[in-house]
Every structure is written in C-alpha cells, then in structure tokens.
Amino acid sequence: MLRKILLPTILIILGYGFWVSPDFKVIAAGVSIFLFGMLSLEEGFKAFSGGTLENILRKSTDKLYKSISFGILATTVMQSSSLVSVLTISFLGAGLIGLAQGIGIVFGANIGTTTGAWLVAGFGLKVKISAYAMPMLVFGIILIFQKTKSLKGIGYILAGLGFLFLGIHFMKDGFEAFKNTLDLASFGGTGLKYLFIFTGIGVFATVVMQSSHATLVLIITALSVGQISYENALALAIGANVGTTITAIIGAMSSNIVGKRLAGAHLIFNVVTGLIAIIFMHQIMFSVEFVSGYVGIASDDYTLKLAVFHTIFNVIGVVVMVPFINKLVVFLESSLKDTVKKQGSKLDNYDGVKYLNDSVLELPSTAMAAIIRETKHLYENSFEIITHGLNLKKTNIVSSMPLDEVIRDHYSNKTVNIDELYNYKIKGIYGEIIDFSTKAQSIMSPEDIEVLYQLKLANRDIVQAVKDTKHLQKNLVKYAKNDNKHIKKEYDTIRKDLAELLRNINIIANTDEEDVIILLLSKARIHTKKYDIVANGTLDNLIRKSLITNEMATSLMNDSSYAHDISKNLIEMATVTFTDRNSNSSSINVDMKISEEDIDSILKSKDK
Amino acid sequence: MGFKKFFESVKETLGLDNSEKESKKKSIKNLLKKLNSKKNTVQKELKKKSSKKDKNELQEELKIIICHLKNGKKMLQKLESK
C-alpha cells in the first residue's frame, strides 16, 4: 500500500518542484546523474567479479581484522557500500563466508564509505570537476561498446565516474543558483529538536535515493554553498548512515536466512552508531575540531570537517561494536531462525534447499558455488537413504570400524521406506537444483555452462543411485534372513562393497589432499569391476555347483547390476562434486583417470 | 614472508598466475611429488606387513599409484611439448 502511494507522491512533489524552481530541477538532475553513475560503476565492477574479487574475498576474510579491512578497501575502491553489501549477501547466501565474516565486511564498508565524503569535499568541490567528467564519459562509452568483458567493465567504470563527477557539478551549480532565490539555511536551526528533524530528513532522503553516498554528496554540496548549516549537515549525515540500511534490507529480502541476518546486523550497527553520534554529538564535534586542527583543515572548511565527522563516528561505531560481534551473531541466529522446511509444506521431515536463492545469482561464481554446495547437500541426504536402505548405520560407515562389523550391526529390524524418504529429502531439492541451474546458466560463460552440465549429471547420478537402492533393498531384506548361507553371503558382500564405497566417498568429501582423492576414486573404480559377480565368475560358480536356486540366481544377477550401477553413479558424482573447482585438480582428475585397460591390467596382475 | 613469496601470493590471489598451462603443470608436478612419496611409504609398509590380505591391498594401491604416476608423467610431457 505504502509503496503504491510513495512513487506517485514523489513524482508529484518533484514535478511541482521543477515547475516552481528551475534550480531545483538542476539539483535533482545532478542527483539523478550521480545515481546513474553509481549504477554504471557497479556494473563495471561486476565485470571483474568473475574471479579476482572472489579470490581476494576468500583469502582476506579468515580473520575479523581482515574482513573489516576488506570492507574498507572494497568500498573505498568501488565507492559503493551497497555493492559491497550485495556481494557480501551473495557470498553468504552461497555459504562461502560465515556470518561473523560478513558482519566484519559490513562494518568495514561503513568506514570505507566515508572516503566518498573526503573525495567530494577534498577534491570534487575544490576543482572544476566537470572538466574531468567529459573525457571519462567519451572514453567510457567507447569502451562499453567493445566486446571484451574487461574492456567493457573499464568502460562502465570510467563512464560511471564521469557521471558521478557530472552529477556533483550539477548539484553544486544548482545549489549556488538556488541560493539566489531561496535560502534553505533559514529553515534550519540548532538544538536537539533540529538534530532529530535533520536526522529524520537524512534517513528519508537516503531511503528514497537508496544511496547514502548520494545523500552525503547532496549534503556536502549544499553545505559548500551555505544552503544548510554545519550542525544540520552533521545530523543529515547521521540520518544518511541509518537510512542506508534499507538497501541491505531490500537486498536481503531475496536472500536466504544468512543474508537476512546480515541485514539485521547492518541495521543494528547503523542505528547504534547513529544513537552514539546523537548522544555524544558535542564530544564528537570537539574531536572533529581537534583532528581538523591537527591535519591542517581550515576552521571554516565545513565540508572537510563533515568528512572528518563522518569518519570519526563510523570508526567509533566499529570500535564499540567489534567486541560484540560474536554476541551479535548468537543474537541474530536465535532471533532469525532458519526455516529450511519448504513454505506451505505440511511434511515435518521435508528437507528444502539450503543455498539456492536469488541473492547468489548476483555473480556467476556464487551461483556455481551454491549449486555445488546444494549438490553436496543432496548427496548427504542420499548417503543417509542409501545407508539405511542397505540396513547399515551411518555412524558406522563414517567411522573406522572394520567393514565386517559394519554389515553385522543392522540399522533397523524394519524396512526403511525409501519412496517416502525420496519424496522428503531428494525429489524437491533435485527439482530445485535443475530449475536454479537453468536460471544460473543465463549469467554464465560457456566454460561455466559446461561445468554446470557436469553438475546436473552428478545430481542425476545421485537420484539414480537412490532409486537403484530402492530396487536392491527388496531382495536384501528378503535374503538377509534366508537359510541359504551362500545367497546370504553374496548379499552381505554387496552391502560390504557399497559400505566401503560410501566410506571412501566420505573421506573424499572431507579431504583437500589431491593424491588421496585420486587414489580413492581409482580404487573405487577397480573394486566396482572386481566385485561384479557376473564378470568375476562368482555367479556362474554358484549356479554350476547348485548352491543357489534359479530364482535366487536371477535376483542376484539383477541386484548385482543395481549395485554396480549405484557404485558407478556415485563414483562419477564424487569425481565432479568433490574436487576443488578453484584449482586445476578437477581437470587433472579427469585427465589422470585410470582407463579401462589400466583397470583390467591391475585386476589381471592381481589374479596371477 | 620473503618478497618473492609475497609477490607469488599476490599474483595467485589476483589470478595473474602465468598461463593456464603453467599453473596446470605446477599442479601436476605437486601431485606427482605427493604420489611418489606415497609410493615410497607403501613400498616400506609392504616389507613390514605379514598378512596376505594386507599385502594384497597394499600391492593393489601400489599398482594404482604406478598407473597414475605413468599417466601424470605423460600429461606433463604433453604439456611441455606444446
């Protein structure tokens, strides 16, 4: 309802303003050009987010001070805390970083965003900035039309900066001309009342423009021509800081729970910082005077003093909040609970997707990381179903218990309903992975699409393995209590071989050692062939010696084939899913994979 | 951290690490080094183990390692000849 009213109201106010004052039109155009410049800048930086940014983020957020530094640096370079917030939410959504690291980045971004005020106050207003804007726009637009992704990115960044400069120029010109017709400073005042009023105006302006940077530039340009007083400008800056959280909240709406928690942390941080700034306004103003005097800022240079104020109160906010980060994480995790269960589902056991959400679609790499993680999640569920379908205990498989004991320790005396488990834990996730992959494909390069295709096949392999377990389970149960010890032994061998495979895949899933992965995968391939009772002659032997009935032989032949297929599918899945896609190990694993001839020669030499 | 190591780390972080071929060669060499060390360990263990079952398992592992070492060396030669 509010949204429906807000847009027409803003349009009517702007329309009226343009009609009444041509100078207001220039200021508004300046803000619009500035915002357009920010969009262009964000587009440009996104072109470089295919690997470099992710590499830096991965390596520079393992410690809190590094996360904060990353937030400061990234926001200083990109001049957009919103972009840094959106990227952080995207990384959080894909599970690439933790909440504490994300909060660190957001804290850092708040300090980084203060460099914008320094740039505008120290450079933008001191020189004829529009002179720089023109060549930037020309070069930028030429580069935007190039086919190379990086050149296009540079083009967007240049054009973005050009538009930012042009926007600042128009805002400055507009305010200067506006001063001749109307003195806005006469509406201002001092005291607590005006402090709250102007803070509120700052919040409102930032919510409307969705950019604290734009609000701050507007404040600085208005301050530079004396259209607002210094005290009121400080209150507006506090409001801009609080209002900016709205961008993060909107970004988090399409994110999963961790993104929402980050937006919560952002809101808490900015509100607390704003309150501190309001309560200790006089003390902070005193320190601004002290710092300004120390660094040689003229006593009447209020725009630079505003930049000092903006930096000081954000740094104070970070210093105050840093000791409480862990408590903040606990609070957010307990107040914003993870509801993985699919909305509208009445099934208590229903397991939904954990990592797939619109926020990870911001970048190809986060989309890919989310799909890989979701595939692993699907495998975890299938691991449980296959294990229970084979009447084995999951804890025994992942332990170092001898396999003979693992198969003796049954999971349950009842038959596990695989169909039901499939519907609860596999079907929905699988469907969503396929659906999401189709969406993600549109933002990916041809090389990424090839990887995505392999991942889709890996998901299909998982699903197939679960379905084959269902077929296998029928006779496993039937012959487990059979009097014929030969058939019982063969089915126990099938269970033991699959248990060994599941154990090895679990090791592969939890190690980074490439040699361990490659050796275990090869071992699994060899064992799949070695334990094929049709190929190794075991079945023929049992029939020839009349140790099993014809019915048993048919069942064993079919089930051996199911077990063989389960192994093959799980090995293929593990090769694709559990190798590090950020290194070369994935392609090396494929290239160094032992051939069928190698497997045959190893098996033959063993028989000798 | 020495300057060279720092420079390498920055290059790697920024994705400026030589060509794809060079980085693949580096990864294969690392893997071959690990496999060779594994081969030595298995060979030593083979001398110690007395049970037939253990010996069979180790021999199988040794054959797999030898096979991968052969494949890896071939890949390396192929990359170097390009």
Side-chain angles (χ1 to χ4, degrees):
Chain A
M1 182 65 186
L2 192 71
R3 265 189 169 181
K4 277 183 186 172
I5 301 168
L6 194 67
L7 183 65
T9 313
I10 291 168
L11 292 177
I12 290 166
I13 294 170
L14 284 174
Y16 177 74
F18 296 161
W19 184 52
V20 172
S21 164
D23 300 327
F24 176 66
K25 195 161 61 188
V26 177
I27 298 168
V31 175
S32 309
I33 294 168
F34 186 89
L35 287 172
F36 185 76
M38 287 199 71
L39 288 178
S40 181
L41 210 58
E42 288 180 6
E43 192 65 35
F45 281 111
K46 275 186 184 173
F48 292 98
S49 61
T52 313
L53 196 63
E54 287 81 345
N55 278 341
I56 297 171
L57 194 112
R58 230 176 251 126
K59 293 191 176 184
S60 57
T61 54
D62 56 335
K63 292 201 169 73
L64 183 63
Y65 79 91
K66 285 189 184 176
S67 304
I68 294 174
S69 307
F70 175 81
I72 296 173
L73 271 172
T75 314
T76 303
V77 173
M78 297 195 271
Q79 282 298 299
S80 169
S81 61
S82 307
L83 178 61
V84 175
S85 294
V86 168
L87 294 180
T88 309
I89 288 172
S90 185
F91 271 80
L92 265 173
L96 291 171
I97 55 169
L99 185 58
Q101 291 161 293
I103 293 174
I105 296 173
V106 167
F107 283 8
N110 265 58
I111 297 178
T113 198
T114 64
T115 56
W118 282 97
L119 284 174
V120 178
F123 170 73
L125 299 175
K126 305 276 189 285
V127 294
K128 196 172 162 36
I129 201 166
S130 58
Y132 293 94
M134 303 306 169
M136 279 182 174
L137 285 171
V138 175
F139 290 128
I141 298 298
I142 291 171
L143 291 177
I144 284 172
F145 285 114
Q146 301 306 306
K147 279 182 184 165
T148 320
K149 197 182 163 194
S150 53
L151 282 180
K152 229 183 215 310
I154 294 170
Y156 274 112
I157 293 171
L158 273 179
L161 286 173
F163 282 123
L164 288 189
F165 288 178
L166 201 63
I168 294 169
H169 166 76
F170 277 115
M171 280 188 244
K172 200 172 135 189
D173 274 8
F175 273 117
E176 266 167 9
F178 202 52
K179 203 181 174 186
N180 300 328
T181 50
L182 183 69
D183 186 13
L184 286 174
S186 60
F187 294 102
T190 51
L192 208 57
K193 182 181 143 193
Y194 284 98
L195 181 62
F196 282 110
I197 290 174
F198 278 86
T199 303
I201 294 172
V203 173
F204 179 74
T206 312
V207 168
V208 171
M209 292 192 278
Q210 288 203 17
S211 164
S212 61
H213 202 33
T215 312
L216 213 63
V217 173
L218 201 60
I219 299 165
I220 292 170
T221 45
L223 181 66
S224 70
V225 293
Q227 280 284 34
I228 47 170
S229 70
Y230 173 57
E231 285 78 10
N232 296 154
L234 301 186
L236 284 167
I238 296 169
N241 242 44
V242 178
T244 194
T245 52
I246 205 77
T247 320
I249 291 168
I250 291 170
M253 276 176 184
S254 63
S255 170
N256 61 2
I257 191 69
V258 277
K260 291 188 175 83
R261 285 175 187 153
L262 186 75
H266 199 181
L267 180 71
I268 292 169
F269 172 79
N270 285 31
V271 170
V272 169
T273 311
L275 283 173
I276 292 171
I278 289 172
I279 296 166
F280 298 103
M281 184 58 128
H282 292 294
Q283 288 81 348
I284 297 174
M285 278 174 78
F286 176 76
S287 41
V288 168
E289 291 302 322
F290 176 76
V291 173
S292 300
Y294 190 75
V295 294
I297 294 170
S299 59
D300 60 344
D301 195 342
Y302 292 113
T303 53
L304 271 177
K305 279 187 179 176
L306 178 69
V308 176
F309 173 81
H310 196 220
T311 306
I312 288 179
F313 94 80
N314 272 295
V315 171
I316 289 175
V318 173
V319 171
V320 169
M321 293 297 286
V322 158
F324 301 105
I325 282 193
N326 289 333
K327 282 188 179 157
L328 192 60
V329 170
V330 173
F331 168 73
L332 290 163
E333 279 173 352
S334 60
S335 53
L336 294 168
K337 287 220 167 69
D338 194 358
T339 48
V340 172
K341 312 283 179 280
K342 202 175 173 72
Q343 280 179 352
S345 170
K346 288 173 187 169
L347 304 169
D348 286 342
N349 295 326
Y350 188 92
D351 193 13
V353 289
K354 278 185 182 172
Y355 306 101
L356 307 182
N357 53 73
D358 288 346
S359 75
V360 300
L361 285 171
E362 282 290 331
L363 301 169
S365 57
T366 47
M368 185 68 87
I371 294 168
I372 292 172
R373 281 175 182 242
E374 207 58 65
T375 305
K376 288 178 182 172
H377 175 211
L378 186 72
Y379 171 69
E380 276 166 31
N381 287 358
S382 76
F383 176 76
E384 191 183 331
I385 298 172
I386 295 170
T387 310
H388 294 167
L390 297 171
N391 207 3
L392 301 168
K393 283 182 184 164
K394 213 172 125 185
T395 44
N396 291 345
I397 299 263
V398 297
S399 71
S400 55
M401 183 192 267
L403 288 168
D404 288 322
E405 282 177 41
V406 171
I407 59 164
R408 274 200 297 272
D409 189 12
H410 291 169
Y411 169 69
S412 167
N413 289 326
K414 290 177 192 166
T415 309
V416 173
N417 188 340
I418 293 187
D419 267 337
E420 197 177 58
L421 286 172
Y422 174 81
N423 285 327
Y424 286 169
K425 290 176 179 281
I426 301 288
K427 202 177 169 186
I429 300 176
Y430 177 55
E432 293 207 36
I433 290 175
I434 299 301
D435 183 46
F436 188 84
S437 302
T438 313
K439 273 193 226 166
Q441 216 164 297
S442 61
I443 57 163
M444 286 181 175
S445 65
E447 295 80 28
D448 283 344
I449 291 172
E450 177 55 33
V451 176
L452 200 59
Y453 173 68
Q454 298 296 331
L455 281 166
K456 280 194 221 173
L457 292 183
N459 278 284
R460 194 191 64 185
D461 289 339
I462 294 171
V463 170
Q464 202 50 52
V466 173
K467 286 182 176 171
D468 286 339
T469 307
K470 185 193 140 191
H471 297 302
L472 182 63
Q473 186 200 32
K474 210 175 103 189
N475 288 326
L476 272 182
V477 174
K478 187 178 165 186
Y479 292 118
K481 291 165 189 166
N482 200 283
D483 293 334
N484 186 322
K485 63 177 183 185
H486 300 286
I487 192 76
K488 193 173 176 297
K489 188 188 158 209
E490 288 310 319
Y491 274 96
D492 273 347
T493 308
I494 289 177
R495 289 171 69 224
K496 189 177 154 186
D497 297 340
L498 287 173
E500 186 191 4
L501 176 72
L502 290 168
R503 178 174 281 178
N504 285 340
I505 291 180
N506 184 58
I507 297 170
I508 291 170
N510 292 300
T511 185
D512 294 325
E513 297 295 326
E514 294 154 328
D515 55 330
V516 174
I517 294 175
I518 203 163
L519 289 179
L520 284 177
L521 284 172
S522 299
K523 195 175 165 188
R525 279 193 192 101
I526 291 168
H527 284 196
T528 302
K529 195 153 190 179
K530 187 169 111 184
Y531 298 137
D532 184 353
I533 58 161
V534 182
N536 67 19
T538 308
L539 188 67
D540 282 347
N541 198 31
L542 288 167
I543 296 170
R544 207 181 310 118
K545 290 181 181 169
S546 300
L547 296 172
I548 55 171
T549 65
N550 287 347
E551 189 202 348
M552 286 174 184
T554 319
S555 298
L556 193 56
M557 201 162 107
N558 288 338
D559 292 333
S560 168
S561 163
Y562 285 131
H564 183 266
D565 289 347
I566 293 169
S567 302
K568 239 175 110 180
N569 283 326
L570 291 182
I571 293 166
E572 290 304 318
M573 177 282 306
T575 311
V576 174
T577 315
F578 296 118
T579 42
D580 184 7
R581 300 229 151 256
N582 294 309
S583 71
N584 290 306
S585 58
S586 179
S587 72
I588 292 172
N589 267 350
V590 174
D591 293 341
M592 275 177 75
K593 186 175 158 182
I594 52 170
S595 63
E596 282 300 312
E597 292 83 49
D598 289 335
I599 294 175
D600 287 339
S601 92
I602 290 172
L603 286 175
K604 267 182 199 163
S605 64
K606 211 176 156 85
D607 293 340
K608 278 175 194 169
Chain B
M1 189 189 282
F3 178 73
K4 199 181 167 192
K5 207 174 166 193
F6 171 75
F7 188 65
E8 288 294 321
S9 146
V10 170
K11 267 201 326 184
E12 200 187 319
T13 308
L14 295 175
L16 306 169
D17 202 12
N18 298 328
S19 64
E20 199 185 324
K21 186 180 133 186
E22 284 303 314
S23 106
K24 198 169 179 178
K25 261 164 65 177
K26 204 171 142 190
S27 304
I28 296 173
K29 278 179 188 169
N30 277 340
L31 183 58
L32 289 179
K33 209 170 144 188
K34 283 181 185 174
L35 286 172
N36 263 319
S37 124
K38 191 114 190 161
K39 186 183 156 192
N40 292 336
T41 318
V42 173
Q43 277 171 336
K44 274 179 199 163
E45 272 187 51
L46 251 174
K47 283 175 192 164
K48 283 185 213 161
K49 294 280 174 187
S50 54
S51 90
K52 201 182 165 190
K53 196 186 159 204
D54 287 345
K55 271 194 170 176
N56 279 345
E57 275 179 16
L58 286 170
Q59 266 162 354
E60 184 190 80
E61 197 171 341
L62 191 63
K63 279 170 198 159
I64 298 171
I65 295 171
I66 292 169
C67 206
H68 280 303
L69 282 170
K70 192 181 78 189
N71 289 353
K73 278 172 193 163
K74 262 189 208 165
M75 268 174 77
L76 210 57
Q77 275 173 354
K78 214 171 150 184
L79 281 169
E80 272 164 358
S81 65
K82 268 182 192 173

